[in-house]
Amino acid sequence: MKKRLSIFLCFLCLFCNCLLPVYAEEVNNTNNTELIPGAVSGVLMEANSKEIVFQKEMDKEVPVASMTKMVAQILILDAIREEKISWDDVVTVSQNAADMGGSQIYLSVGEKISIRDLFKGISMASANDATVQMAEVIAGSEADFVQLMNKKVQELGLKHTVFKNCTGLDEDGHYSSAYDMAMIARELVVNYPEILDFSSVYEDYLREDTENKFWLVNTNKLVRFYEGADGLKTGHTDAAKYCLAATAKKNDLRFIAIVLGEENSKVRNQEVMSLLDYGFNHYQMNLIKSKDEVVKTIPLDKATKKSVSLVPVSDIGVLSKKSSNKKKYDYEVKMKSLSLPVEKGDVVGKVIVKDGKKNITSVDLTVSENVKSLSFWQLFIRGIIDTVSGNIHFSLN
């Protein structure tokens, strides 16, 4: 009897030892990859630090449907900033744009429409016709615009993206990845925050003061139903299935969530919300300086301003788990050689955040306002004023 009992106990121990590793692995899967079981791939990124807190097959090259249009939006906003076009410009719709199928705002050949309305159509309705029309406005043709899109992707250092068209319609050799899409979404949100004025709106109108008034409803339902959500871009084709680049901000924390290859829009939205919940529930931001908060003021010589303030291009902070205590971090400013003129947005230096001697993160610095060089006569007049006021330092060199 004792022998049988010993054999049974040994068997029981072996059985339990075999079970324990399997159980631990299953729990780990539930906490990580099973956040988005329906997606082919996905990423959860903290926007300012670019830190990835979750990923599933993030470099897998797959069709991404209308999420492609995020790069088109960057190029349009570039053209606005460079004053090549303006929001109130009115353009005439081409045959090529009017003939685009899929998602659209039903442009007609010869119709006059503002660039603002076209951008609304892209941002809210994912309109193919509006995207092609804007491609022609900026580059002359869709083909030339797509070259600019691929160039922008290369400038961002992305390795897993190639575009064949500007709309995201299925085409051989047109692909991206979850990571690349997250970086493109980050570029929009951090460096072109005006995108949120469009992507956060749930419903609006096009051609509002005309007989062809058109009601727009945002294809991204999260902007209405998820707290803090204010963008960014949906996508769906037969090859790509259902995709979404979503962003939400709560307190000082902004996350970008990407899911690709979902079977339907309901699961897509649920899994994106699961990603965002995971981020907000488990992480916190140790904010050091807010975007546009003055980091340093430097004197200027021979400039239209006697000094200029340096501000970060995005929030400066360190991401940490909520389970850890918030720490205090030091930072140092490293300046480039400042040459005039300089405009807001130009990178003039960097803030490096440190934990002791270890560099944790860094954020580019820009100037708080545009500054130009003084002309010869402006320098001459300033010299006279300085002399009269008692500041006898006077130089025209």
Side-chain angles (χ1 to χ4, degrees), residues 41 54 104-105 115 137 163 165 179 227 272 278 336-337 365 368:
S41 56
F54 168 89
Q104 55 186 299
I105 53 173
I115 283 174
V137 167
F163 295 134
N165 59 63
Y179 175 79
E227 181 188 354
V272 163
Y278 175 79
K336 292 182 177 181
S337 177
L365 287 172
S368 59

Side-chain angles (χ1 to χ4, degrees), residues 88-150:
D88 296 326
D89 286 350
V90 174
V91 301
T92 303
V93 175
S94 71
Q95 181 75 58
N96 186 40
D99 285 346
M100 290 302 302
S103 301
Q104 55 186 299
I105 53 173
Y106 303 98
L107 297 176
S108 56
V109 181
E111 175 185 351
K112 308 288 187 183
I113 188 167
S114 73
I115 283 174
R116 186 182 301 278
D117 273 1
L118 288 170
F119 198 78
K120 277 186 195 178
I122 298 168
S123 303
M124 295 179 65
S126 197
N128 294 331
D129 49 2
T131 309
V132 170
Q133 184 58 60
M134 284 305 310
E136 293 176 351
V137 167
I138 290 172
S141 70
E142 181 182 3
D144 288 342
F145 188 75
V146 172
Q147 287 186 11
L148 295 178
M149 291 173 67
N150 286 317

Side-chain angles (χ1 to χ4, degrees), residues 320-391:
S320 64
K321 287 203 168 183
K322 285 186 175 180
S323 56
S324 62
N325 295 325
K326 282 196 172 186
K327 296 177 64 175
K328 272 197 167 185
Y329 296 93
D330 297 321
Y331 66 87
E332 65 173 310
V333 175
K334 288 197 172 180
M335 289 289 299
K336 292 182 177 181
S337 177
L338 190 63
S339 58
L340 300 176
V342 63
E343 296 184 356
K344 188 171 182 178
D346 293 345
V347 175
V348 298
K350 193 178 289 288
V351 174
I352 300 172
V353 180
K354 291 177 168 288
D355 183 4
K357 293 184 177 180
K358 182 181 177 182
N359 293 350
I360 302 297
T361 188
S362 64
V363 174
D364 288 337
L365 287 172
T366 187
V367 289
S368 59
E369 56 187 326
N370 298 344
V371 183
K372 296 180 180 179
S373 300
L374 288 174
S375 68
F376 174 87
W377 290 110
Q378 287 172 319
L379 280 169
F380 183 79
I381 293 168
R382 175 179 285 184
I384 293 173
I385 293 171
D386 287 345
T387 302
V388 171
S389 64
N391 181 6

Side-chain angles (χ1 to χ4, degrees), residues 123-124 195-202 218 220 223 230-232:
S123 303
M124 295 179 65
I195 186 66
L196 302 176
D197 295 336
F198 295 87
S199 65
S200 64
V201 178
Y202 183 68
N218 202 322
N220 179 13
V223 299
D230 48 10
L232 193 58

Side-chain angles (χ1 to χ4, degrees), residues 202 217-218 220-229 269 273:
Y202 183 68
V217 178
N218 202 322
N220 179 13
K221 307 308 177 191
L222 269 64
V223 299
R224 183 173 185 181
F225 298 111
Y226 189 87
E227 181 188 354
N269 293 347
M273 288 190 287

